Amino acid sequence: MFSRNARGLLDFLMAALCLWTAWHHTPAGALVRRGAAWAFNSRSTARPLLAYYDGVSSSGVTPSALVPEAPPVRPLSEVETLAYGTHLALKGLQPKARKPALGLAMELGIPTESLLDAAQGPDATRKLLEGLAGEFPSEEARLTAVFAGRIPARYAQERVSAVGGPFTLEELSRQLPPGYEDATVAATQALALTTAFGLKWPVPEATRVSSPFGYRIHPTLGTRKLHTGVDLSVPQGTEVRVVEDGTVRRASEDAVNGRVLIIDHGRGVTTAYCHNSELLVKVGQRVKSGDVIAYSGNTGRSTGPHLHYQLELSSQPVDPLRFRSGSRAVATGSQL
């Protein structure tokens, strides 16, 4: 089919393509490029080695920016919870990854610096999302536009519409062109934060926080450990209510947590309720916000009747008081 010379040229071109791919698009190539940059005291454009495995490029998200510095001063509407979550996710992005959102803000006449400002950011982000609502009706599509840009989001929305699928973030991300992994990660985190801001409280609002989230001297072990939730001082037998719709993922008992429930609320958000005296729901059961799911108690490793309430975003424990509007709780004791 080909002459010997033509086959030789074709083999050479294919070999050159393989070397270029290995140099620019594999962990080994990245390692060699970084080593060469160090040896010759130059700058490397190689992605971090782990980025080849976790799907997030070097322009990705900084997790430490994803927890609000202070809780909202008042209860938030459904629109405002989305704005708060999106604002925090934007703050967590590296500057390069914020360009689509900043470009959209400029188009809509929103000062770009206001999107990242602690005081103005949530309101500016709400205006940005409202400005996209006409073109992108679902909130998942709007978030895709914020983090990926108008044109890629429009393409993904049209593709999902063509195949008749739901406009979920998962379906939209599948239709995005290659290279938008950061946008999907950021949009996913915005949805998780939005859900966290909308959570209710498992016991009466006026309940005293006897031990807050954070490092403390463990009441029984005597060592400094991270307290991954908040202890709420309630009498034994107090009704424990689920803070949002969800599915029961765990309903069991162990020596540390006592009788414990874990509820999956979707979007990477779970809540846990520990040391109960009685569990009223089973694994796999669907529950609605406000349902009584347990009675508080003193089971497991506990120094007195209370409820240990824990919030996790993407399997990482966070302070639930940071997402509770108007929260000014002060710990006055130390329970476990």
Side-chain angles (χ1 to χ4, degrees):
M1 183 175 179
F2 296 103
S3 66
R4 179 173 298 178
N5 289 340
R7 285 201 303 272
L9 178 61
L10 182 62
D11 290 344
F12 172 79
L13 291 175
M14 291 300 295
L17 178 61
C18 290
L19 287 173
W20 177 86
T21 301
W23 180 256
H24 287 281
H25 297 286
T26 67
L31 194 60
V32 173
R33 289 161 66 196
R34 285 198 175 275
W38 175 82
F40 294 102
N41 195 27
S42 61
R43 186 175 180 179
S44 172
T45 59
R47 292 191 295 167
L49 191 62
L50 289 178
Y52 290 88
Y53 300 105
D54 62 21
V56 180
S57 75
S58 58
S59 62
V61 177
T62 305
S64 60
L66 297 177
V67 177
E69 297 176 4
V73 297
R74 57 176 177 78
L76 303 175
S77 67
E78 187 174 337
V79 172
E80 288 173 323
T81 59
L82 181 62
Y84 261 82
T86 306
H87 162 67
L88 282 178
L90 280 172
K91 286 184 67 176
L93 289 175
Q94 300 292 342
K96 181 180 178 182
R98 295 173 184 153
K99 287 183 178 180
L102 298 181
L104 287 170
M106 290 181 65
E107 290 178 23
L108 296 170
I110 301 170
T112 55
E113 63 276 7
S114 65
L115 285 179
L116 305 175
D117 182 78
Q120 305 177 61
D123 188 55
T125 307
R126 177 183 58 79
K127 293 176 181 177
L128 175 62
L129 293 167
E130 289 175 349
L132 296 169
E135 187 174 359
F136 302 99
S138 76
E139 65 180 28
E140 284 89 348
R142 290 198 292 279
L143 289 175
T144 302
V146 167
F147 295 107
R150 187 190 300 272
I151 294 176
R154 185 188 300 151
Y155 170 82
Q157 182 174 255
E158 290 172 352
R159 290 290 302 160
V160 172
S161 179
V163 299
F167 289 102
T168 62
L169 188 58
E170 182 180 5
E171 292 298 324
L172 289 163
S173 64
R174 287 177 181 171
Q175 301 300 335
L176 285 173
Y180 286 92
E181 293 83 2
D182 287 345
T184 300
V185 171
T188 300
Q189 290 175 328
L191 285 176
L193 290 161
T194 297
T195 301
F197 277 117
L199 298 179
K200 308 299 188 297
W201 205 235
V203 291
E205 292 286 336
T207 299
R208 178 174 62 90
V209 176
S210 57
S211 187
F213 179 94
Y215 282 94
R216 65 174 185 175
I217 300 300
H218 197 282
T220 59
L221 300 179
T223 58
R224 187 171 183 267
K225 294 178 67 70
L226 175 66
H227 187 221
T228 54
V230 293
D231 287 346
L232 303 171
S233 183
V234 290
Q236 184 159 326
T238 299
E239 290 183 340
V240 177
R241 298 180 182 273
V242 66
V243 296
E244 185 53 88
D245 297 356
T247 302
V248 180
R249 294 303 181 204
R250 179 182 172 189
S252 61
E253 183 174 5
D254 61 59
V256 176
N257 300 300
R259 294 190 176 97
V260 57
L261 289 171
I262 296 179
I263 310 296
D264 183 352
H265 305 286
R267 296 179 170 180
V269 179
T270 60
T271 52
Y273 313 76
C274 305
H275 308 300
N276 300 288
S277 60
E278 184 180 356
L279 306 182
L280 305 178
V281 292
K282 299 178 180 180
V283 172
Q285 184 174 335
R286 287 286 300 171
V287 290
K288 293 290 186 181
S289 178
D291 285 354
V292 178
I293 55 175
Y295 292 115
S296 66
N298 189 30
T299 58
R301 188 183 292 166
S302 172
T303 59
H306 73 287
L307 172 70
H308 173 93
Y309 170 59
Q310 185 165 316
L311 168 63
E312 291 193 359
L313 304 183
S314 302
S315 301
Q316 296 297 317
V318 296
D319 186 353
L321 293 178
R322 294 286 186 92
F323 297 90
R324 185 184 176 210
S325 61
S327 175
R328 296 291 184 271
V330 178
T332 57
S334 183
Q335 284 182 311
L336 177 64

